[in-house]
Amino acid sequence: MAQRASLKVNTQHLADREREGAVAGLKVALEHLLQASREIVPHEEGTLERSGTTSVDGLKGAVSYDTVYAARQHEELTWRHDPPRSAKYLEGPAVTEWPQMQELIAAQIRRSLR
């Protein structure tokens, strides 16, 4: 079963250029989250790590890991991993990297208005 985190940017009042910047920012932010999660995803052969990907559809996007054991690896807190690898490999970075992700989105919106 796949494990994923989703993010939706509310842009009701954004003009077209701002929206384009928000979409670009979302892509950058999700790539940042993917990289941060890859640093702590459990790693034995690297299959789970390599399965990580981002997807963006307008202003909705996700980071996902697509193996049959991705969700179980994410949720099983009793399994031991070599540091810095851990369970909650997507949820943890989604929380800790959120301020940086917001900055990345904001920077792309500002860039789109130049």
Side-chain angles (χ1 to χ4, degrees), residues 4 6 9 11 21 24 31 42-44 47 52 56 68 73 75-76 79 84 90 97 101 104 108 110 114:
R4 69 185 301 152
S6 296
V9 179
T11 60
E31 286 294 332
H43 182 93
E44 187 152 326
T47 304
V56 175
V68 295
Q73 277 284 3
E75 298 301 320
E76 189 60 63
W79 291 357
L90 192 52
E97 298 300 316
M101 292 168 64
L104 291 167
Q108 290 297 319
R110 286 191 298 272
R114 291 185 189 163

Side-chain angles (χ1 to χ4, degrees), residues 44-81:
E44 187 152 326
E45 296 175 2
T47 304
L48 180 59
E49 183 178 349
R50 285 190 303 275
S51 77
T53 188
T54 63
S55 58
V56 175
D57 181 14
L59 293 171
K60 293 181 182 180
V63 173
S64 59
Y65 285 86
D66 189 22
T67 65
V68 295
Y69 52 86
R72 180 96 189 262
Q73 277 284 3
H74 188 269
E75 298 301 320
E76 189 60 63
L77 299 176
T78 61
W79 291 357
R80 300 288 177 235
H81 307 286

Side-chain angles (χ1 to χ4, degrees), residues 29-46:
L30 291 174
E31 286 294 332
H32 175 79
L33 175 58
L34 177 61
Q35 182 57 40
S37 70
R38 279 184 171 158
E39 292 174 8
I40 65 168
V41 70
H43 182 93
E44 187 152 326
E45 296 175 2

